[in-house]
Amino acid sequence: MGRKLKEATPPSDPEIPNDPELNSEKKKKKKKKNKNKDPENTIHSPKRKIEELEKTEEFSDSKERKKKNKKKKEKENKNEDEGLEENGKNEQSGIHEDGHVAVTGKDVKDAKYAPLKSFAESKLPSDVLQCCRNFESPSPIQSRAWPFLLDGRDFIGIAATGSGKTLAFGVPGIMHILKKRKGTFSKGRNPLCLVLSPTRELAQQISDVLCEAGKPCGVISVCLYGGTSKVAQISALKSGVDIVIGTPGRLKDLIEMGVCCLKDVTFGVLDEADRMLDMGFEPEVRHILGQTCSARQMVMFSATWPLLVHQLAQEFMDPNPVKVVVGSEDLAANHDVMQIVEVLDDRARDARLVALLEKSHKSDQTRVLVFVLYKVEATRVENMLQKGGWKVVSIHGNKSQHERTKALSLFKKGTCPLMIATDVAARGLDIPDVEVVINYSFPLTTEDYVHRIGRTGRAGKNGVAHTFFTQQNKGLAGELVNVLREAGQIVPDSLLKFGTHVKKKESKLYGAHFKEISVDAPKSKKITFNDSDDE
Ligand code: AMP
């Protein structure tokens, strides 16, 4: 069964408080380096640096490569479209559009599921659409998800954070509630909608969006997460709520205390499902979903589509869910991020970090997010920088929830635009305007690397990700080279020296011998023996 994974803790790192949301252990490590450019010159002011770099051969080479990659992708997508046309008779086959969105599942070609071109086309009440008033049109995932979700279909969305997925499930969730409640919001009502999130910060972020979106129509949300007092959460539950957003650990606690009743939940959402399972929350997720109404509509969002997520979808969803993939199911880095990889010695990192900050942060208050692997490392680097006179905050598992929330808020507001973070902050958080990400320590997986650097280059802006790669990380050099190449970035020779071998991905449960199954594969049958007492 899913093992609880911890925020990376070195052997000497004393065990941290029992904090299930943070318990994300990992497998291996990795790092990288930048090639023939002096990286000091590449981070000064990201915007200026990008302009400078644009003039250099290396950058134009990288832009050339990007163009080639784009053309190659367009060609591949064209071929795929043609292939799908050939399979057009098969109702289960999918439709691909504009090379970015793929939709598969039963009846997906039905006219009633046509993608929405405008918010008005959705014909939703104006109070429900209030939350979209600042947006021009539905994002690709919203445009695809709403017709299916408003029609009650089970839905799998493969889309990264920042694609607008919160409202992609949030708006149909609110509509679901309004239809069921029929304008009656009784005191003490049980929730109808449940959103499960792997981390506290992501839960809070979702909750902020849903509270705001629900306000004009009277839909109340509550966020249930660990590391903070249960009193306010219990009192909110008692007054009556419509949407519960929660992390698995705290939610399970409150269910067991008998204060959170999910029996009326008919709209369930698993956000960042891959991350949730990666963190070992599978038993909690099963337990929690088991408390909800069996005739519920189920929505699952994931950045990738690994075996365990397929299995969960098979178990808790309709046999014919709709699956919408925005971008790729394979992990790919945001192409708006300039990735600079620098191979260096472990002990050189402190001085190098300070040098980069001197250039990127001191003069123009650029918002910089520094990722480390270990909690003790976060504290050490924070202390080191503070001693050097830097104003810095940090977010990691050894901090109380109050401290974490405060640090994030100071960073978001720009009051303290320099933050050290472990991977708790790597995924899911929508932090505007992070201009530079520095990977002081390479993460344990390439997936985490991609998610970390995805904190910059958001909303169509350019970003810079500067990564230290050491000898210790050489096992991930091959994967990193692939990520860099796919995004048309410079691959430094010093990184290539580690080799380009890529290990076959293993299933946590079945090792390297697991078999990929498709979501359409027949379900396994459960056999119940009449004399069995294990139900
Ligand atoms: P996500 O974390 O995937 O929900 O994405 C959240 C970000 O997407 C926020 O910055 C939102 O302001 C933005 N967003 C959501 N919907 C839209 C839309 N239709 N058009 C533009 N931006 C959007």
Side-chain angles (χ1 to χ4, degrees), residues 331-486:
L331 207 61
N334 177 350
H335 288 202
D336 292 333
V337 178
M338 181 169 66
Q339 301 177 58
I340 300 162
V341 177
E342 186 179 354
V343 177
L344 79 185
D345 188 79
D346 247 7
R347 285 157 303 179
R349 290 179 303 167
D350 281 2
R352 192 73 197 108
L353 173 64
V354 170
L356 290 178
L357 291 176
E358 297 277 357
K359 300 218 162 202
S360 70
H361 189 62
K362 214 158 197 174
S363 52
D364 57 8
Q365 290 287 292
T366 311
R367 200 171 276 156
V368 181
L369 185 53
V370 180
F371 279 107
V372 297
L373 198 52
Y374 305 118
K375 291 159 292 186
V376 284
E377 201 174 35
T379 309
R380 188 182 61 69
V381 174
E382 187 181 12
N383 290 342
M384 183 269 292
L385 291 176
Q386 275 169 347
K387 272 187 201 143
W390 296 92
K391 192 175 168 202
V392 55
V393 289
S394 72
I395 172 170
H396 56 84
N398 277 352
K399 293 251 167 172
S400 70
Q401 188 53 40
H402 172 70
E403 289 169 315
R404 280 164 57 169
T405 307
K406 191 169 165 207
L408 193 58
S409 152
L410 289 173
F411 184 68
K412 272 187 173 179
K413 281 187 205 145
T415 319
C416 181
L418 174 59
M419 184 162 86
I420 317 279
T422 54
D423 287 289
V424 286
R427 282 184 63 171
L429 299 185
D430 182 39
I431 306 170
D433 301 326
V434 174
E435 279 132 316
V436 180
V437 163
I438 300 176
N439 286 311
Y440 176 91
S441 308
F442 199 79
L444 295 171
T445 65
T446 322
E447 285 82 357
D448 283 335
Y449 169 77
V450 170
H451 289 297
R452 282 181 178 188
I453 68 166
R455 295 312 94 206
T456 179
R458 293 167 78 80
K461 291 182 185 161
N462 286 323
V464 176
H466 197 114
T467 301
F468 299 159
F469 195 93
T470 67
Q471 171 77 19
Q472 250 191 322
N473 314 124
K474 65 178 183 191
L476 289 167
E479 288 183 20
L480 179 57
V481 166
N482 288 345
V483 171
L484 292 172
R485 282 187 175 147
E486 192 280 333

Side-chain angles (χ1 to χ4, degrees), residues 62-100:
S62 133
K63 276 173 95 178
E64 254 333 284
R65 228 174 300 148
K66 267 193 191 175
K67 262 194 217 158
K68 274 188 201 156
N69 277 346
K70 204 177 158 200
K71 273 199 185 144
K72 198 174 144 211
K73 271 202 170 154
E74 279 167 6
K75 202 174 157 199
E76 280 167 7
N77 285 326
K78 193 165 170 267
N79 292 340
E80 266 182 59
D81 283 347
E82 284 160 8
L84 282 163
E85 265 181 40
E86 276 187 337
N87 296 331
K89 285 165 244 151
N90 179 357
E91 267 306 291
Q92 294 287 330
S93 74
I95 46 171
H96 284 231
E97 287 191 2
D98 52 73
H100 296 298

Side-chain angles (χ1 to χ4, degrees), residues 156 158 300 302-307 309-310 313 323 329 516 519:
I156 296 162
I158 307 295
M300 207 181 260
S302 200
T304 55
W305 186 237
L307 178 72
V309 181
H310 297 205
K323 185 174 169 201
E329 284 182 43
E516 286 285 342
V519 72

